[in-house]
Amino acid sequence: MGSSNGRTPPLRLVTIVNARSAMTARKTTGKISADRIFMEDIPRPSREVIDGFLTLTDLAGTVSDAMDELGIAGAIPAAVLSPMLPGSRMVGPALTIRNIMQSTPPTLGAMERKSKQADLEAHNLAQPGDVVVIEGVAGISSLGGNSSALGKRQGEAGAIVDGGTRDVATARRIGYPVWARGVSLITGKWRLETVAINGPVQIAGVPVNPGDLVIADDNGVCFVPRGRIKEVFERSRALSLAEDQRNLDVAAGLSIVEVANKPYFQKLRKP
């Protein structure tokens, strides 16, 4: 995103035209009724937007700071949603799944091998760079090794699970980043029912809609409403550049007094 004069050009917030939208709709798996799929194609930001965020120093922390200044609540610490693949950095649009507890006793579902989970449909709809975002149930796995393998093959950026995940070794081996409330061997296949795909979900109390931008690293997860991506990026970039300059000054030997009193960060301008 650099330019010949050393300045970063303004971010162009455009939505990639989905090639599939001009084609016949993709065949669905039949794992969930069509009326529970709220949209097949989610709004997706351009590659320029994704790459712009990925250039930020201290990715999720910087975005969290920018959201604070802009009055946007959407940051969740890693103490709540922990990274299963430490060192990962992820930016991409949310493709959402909502799971609830089902009424059928799990032993009956297991004996009949009948699952009401439909996460496969979400992977079927996913495009490269999408982030699967699951509203699940605490202590029960909403995403395991098979789903991780499918997500990796589909080119997904990774997954966020407000609930349990399992088969973490598989996700780590194939390099599929997952953030989750915890790890649980208890399968959701016989316990959970998928009631919506690409509808609104709640992740650790944060409302998330399909197409919202997901930003995650070792510090936690941020959800940026899709209508505010541009302003969040612009403020995040300003904060990141200021932080980079302060780090350079520290490395160059400026005294603590000088660093403490240098105006690295400018107040957000009111419209």
Side-chain angles (χ1 to χ4, degrees):
M1 293 180 63
S3 62
S4 58
N5 61 8
R7 297 179 63 186
T8 305
L11 185 75
R12 291 184 295 108
L13 185 64
V14 296
T15 300
I16 295 175
V17 176
N18 193 329
R20 194 171 72 240
S21 64
M23 303 165 58
T24 303
R26 177 175 294 186
K27 184 177 179 180
T28 59
T29 65
K31 296 293 184 181
I32 188 171
S33 61
D35 63 338
R36 291 186 174 185
I37 303 174
F38 286 76
M39 61 176 74
E40 290 191 8
D41 291 317
I42 63 173
R44 293 178 173 90
S46 69
R47 187 69 237 180
E48 181 185 7
V49 171
I50 304 299
D51 290 344
F53 275 99
L54 287 171
T55 64
L56 300 176
T57 303
D58 298 326
L59 176 62
T62 299
V63 172
S64 175
D65 288 353
M67 292 172 70
D68 279 345
E69 293 189 21
L70 292 165
I72 303 171
I76 303 167
V80 176
L81 293 175
S82 303
M84 301 294 111
L85 190 61
S88 297
R89 303 169 88 244
M90 180 174 71
V91 180
L95 192 158
T96 64
I97 301 171
R98 182 167 177 253
N99 289 335
I100 64 171
M101 288 293 293
Q102 60 167 292
S103 57
T104 305
T107 51
L108 294 180
M111 287 187 291
E112 296 178 5
R113 300 295 301 177
K114 186 175 181 180
S115 175
K116 293 184 179 181
Q117 274 192 273
D119 55 295
L120 293 180
E121 194 64 79
H123 295 299
N124 182 48
L125 297 174
Q127 291 194 5
D130 288 352
V131 177
V132 171
V133 176
I134 304 174
E135 178 185 337
V137 176
I140 299 175
S141 174
S142 278
L143 185 142
N146 290 333
S147 288
S148 294
L150 282 171
K152 180 68 175 180
R153 194 204 61 185
Q154 294 296 87
E156 296 165 11
I160 307 293
V161 184
D162 188 357
T165 186
R166 73 176 196 173
D167 306 329
V168 174
T170 296
R172 289 173 178 163
R173 176 175 55 81
I174 64 178
Y176 183 75
V178 178
W179 283 255
R181 275 199 186 260
V183 179
S184 174
L185 76 172
I186 300 174
T187 182
K189 289 193 291 285
W190 328 123
R191 295 172 173 85
L192 302 179
E193 178 180 2
T194 301
V195 294
I197 291 177
N198 283 336
V201 295
Q202 289 272 337
I203 304 298
V206 175
V208 180
N209 290 290
D212 287 353
L213 195 64
V214 186
I215 295 162
D217 63 14
D218 286 343
N219 297 295
V221 180
C222 293
F223 293 103
V224 181
R226 62 177 182 256
R228 305 195 69 179
I229 294 172
K230 185 176 186 293
E231 62 179 316
V232 169
F233 174 76
E234 290 176 347
R235 188 55 184 167
S236 298
R237 180 174 59 185
L239 295 176
S240 184
L241 291 173
E243 191 69 45
D244 290 344
Q245 184 57 57
R246 182 163 64 178
N247 290 337
L248 288 172
D249 286 349
V250 170
L254 262 67
S255 71
I256 293 177
V257 172
E258 290 174 300
V259 171
N261 289 281
K262 188 172 179 178
Y264 296 101
F265 304 95
Q266 304 298 319
K267 291 183 179 180
L268 189 64
R269 293 181 180 178
K270 295 182 179 180

